[in-house]
Amino acid sequence: MDDAPVEPVVDRQPLRRLRAVTRHEWVAACVSAPLLAVAMIWLLPPYALWVMSAGSVPLSAADPAHTIIGDGGDPSGQAWLIAWNGHALRHGLGGLWDTNAFYPETYGLAFTDSLLGYAPAGLIGSGPAAAVLRYNIVFVLAFALAYLGGYALVRQLGADRIGAAVAGAVFAYAPWRYGHDGHLNILSSGGIALAVAMLARGHGWSLTHGYRPRRTRPGWALAGWLVAAWQITLGFGIGLPFAYLLAAACLAAATGWLITGRPALDRRLILADVAGGLAFAAVTGYLAQVYLRVRELHPETPRSWEYVALFSPTWRGLLAAPRPSLPWGAWHEPARAAMGNAANEKVLLCGFVLYALAAAGLFASIWTVRQRVLLGAAIVAGVLLALGTNGPLYQYLFLYLPGFDGARTPGRLILWPTLLLGVLAAGLITHLSRRAAALTRPEHARTAARVVAVPLLVAVLFEGMPKLDHVVVPAAPAALAAAPAPLIVLPSDEGIDLNIALWSTAGFPTTVNGAASINTPGHQAIRDLMQTFPSAPSLDRLRELGVRSVVVIRDRVVGTPFEAVLRAPPAPGVTRRDIGPDILYTLD
């Protein structure tokens, strides 16, 4: 009689361990955040638009290496910033702040938010195609980090998982954010929420339990300070208010400690706070010194109150969405048109679903009545600040806090009410989930909670879906690769110079071209003079600067003040060569 076959023994322990790891809350959060960002920013909007249009809009997928998210202007400049930071990091940070653009100006990197914290990403790849792909990836990851940061913060405060997910979705995908689809420096807000979450965890503090000395974690506190310092390296556009609020929180904590009788503190936590606080102060102080140096060199950089008024929203902005908002963009076109110029800076819609949830959260919540009142008051104050010159509070920031007179767009302060609205909404959703669970049998409690809460999360996510443009990046002219540096490309203005900056990632030649939030008088004077090229004064100025070549892009100068160069006679001491459709002038 034959022996029966022996079943092979399969060790399922590794599979069980893997399953347990993937089910861990924070592993799931860290994995789901980028997956959700890819879906929200890149994959789902074309399908949602196709469904909403009943199939009249064809499905299409953008090429992430040759199309860039946004209008192609500011995103091209920010793709160059990340690439330049990586280039400088690879070469020992020499000449970091001067950059290859804006020649002969110095501190060109500080003419806008530097995005210095993304320098490690700039080490990967080279050239314009790599810069575009890198930018698109970082763009998506910025939303992922905002979601993760919002989730972590509200979870630490005491909300349940779905409530925290709603807060994370609100912080990452609020409709107003898409008005800044060309401003990666503004969209990169995840470090703010994540740093606060880490600091709260490190200090054993939450809204539901207050301060618990036994729950302090010095390592988390130190990590929170370091993440806060990294956030500042991305720029002061949203980093400046964060730095002031962090300083105010430290002052409030120290005052509370003194008032409560100076209770004993964990020595390791003190050391972590001192080390982390000093690191944060050092990074912030160093960057502030650089930007103050720019203000010394260019006294015209502070904004006037009248200039800020041009970019200040009204209360109607709270009900208007930007054009790239998928649910509301087209419907709110008349409202945006009534806002005049810079409407993308004046639309402040945080989400109608969010408004409803937060309003209900004032009356039913896991947060105490006192906490809800304080949250509501902080939201009102934040909104009044975001109204800029149209509100009663922003003038005090503008007049008395250093740095705010350099910002032109108060509406960006809506970031803070958005986060606090998410906290209120999370308190409501956690309350509803618990009530639903309490009203059902224990074995069905989790399902009941999800039935109540998950549709609200889906509603928030749907309202936060974008319809972003994916613009084809124009190819660099062949004449640019043949031009000896330093060089200038014509035409030169705030639009094309951003494309030229992106093209310059192929080797980073020194260029006179450059565009940023600061346009210095000297830089503009060169542009104005080059409208007469190749006149004798323009050639004299180029030789004085040491510029060796001029690239003329034929199809871009047509219809501009630079068009006369196409009909100009040969100039002495200048060699002209046609390369493809464009012209290369070399100064002898």
Side-chain angles (χ1 to χ4, degrees), residues 464-538:
M465 291 186 68
K467 183 182 63 176
L468 297 170
D469 295 326
H470 296 264
V471 179
V472 176
V473 177
L480 185 61
L487 60 92
I488 184 171
V489 179
L490 300 181
S492 176
D493 56 41
E494 293 298 296
I496 191 173
D497 277 9
L498 294 167
N499 292 143
I500 295 166
L502 177 60
W503 297 335
S504 76
T505 58
F508 294 98
T510 300
T511 64
V512 176
N513 303 83
S517 57
I518 296 175
N519 183 24
T520 67
H523 187 65
Q524 186 59 45
I526 296 174
R527 284 177 173 170
D528 294 341
L529 183 58
M530 288 305 106
Q531 294 176 14
T532 68
F533 181 83
S535 67
S538 67

Side-chain angles (χ1 to χ4, degrees), residues 175 320-323 325-333 336 349 351-352 463:
R323 185 186 59 80
S325 170
L326 182 59
W328 307 118
W331 286 18
H332 292 177
E333 175 60 33
R336 292 193 303 274
L349 179 65
F352 293 112
E463 190 173 24

Side-chain angles (χ1 to χ4, degrees), residues 5-156:
V6 179
E7 291 288 338
V9 178
V10 178
D11 184 7
R12 299 187 181 277
Q13 191 66 23
L15 295 177
R16 294 192 188 97
R17 290 176 179 172
L18 178 62
R19 191 177 297 113
V21 169
T22 56
R23 288 180 177 177
H24 189 280
E25 176 182 0
W26 294 108
V27 173
C30 290
V31 172
S32 63
L35 293 179
L36 177 63
V38 171
M40 289 288 289
I41 302 302
W42 211 272
L43 299 180
L44 290 179
Y47 289 94
L49 186 61
W50 179 73
V51 171
M52 292 171 65
S53 67
S56 62
V57 177
L59 289 172
S60 61
D63 177 2
H66 297 94
T67 63
I68 198 163
I69 298 174
D71 61 6
D74 286 340
S76 293
Q78 296 192 322
W80 163 75
L81 277 175
I82 299 173
W84 169 258
N85 289 333
H87 173 80
L89 184 60
R90 186 182 292 113
H91 292 84
L93 298 179
L96 168 67
W97 291 104
D98 293 339
T99 79
N100 69 306
F102 300 102
Y103 179 80
E105 300 280 1
T106 56
Y107 293 97
L109 187 62
F111 287 178
T112 187
D113 280 344
S114 68
L115 298 178
L116 192 56
Y118 288 139
L123 294 172
I124 304 171
S126 62
V132 169
L133 177 60
R134 183 191 304 117
Y135 175 86
N136 286 330
I137 292 173
V138 171
F139 185 92
V140 172
L141 292 180
F143 284 85
L145 185 59
Y147 171 85
L148 183 63
Y151 179 92
L153 174 57
V154 179
R155 194 77 171 97
Q156 173 62 31

Side-chain angles (χ1 to χ4, degrees), residues 113-118 185 188 229-236 287:
D113 280 344
S114 68
L115 298 178
L116 192 56
Y118 288 139
N185 53 325
S188 298
W230 173 81
Q231 175 69 49
I232 293 295
T233 66
L234 297 178
F236 283 117
L287 294 173

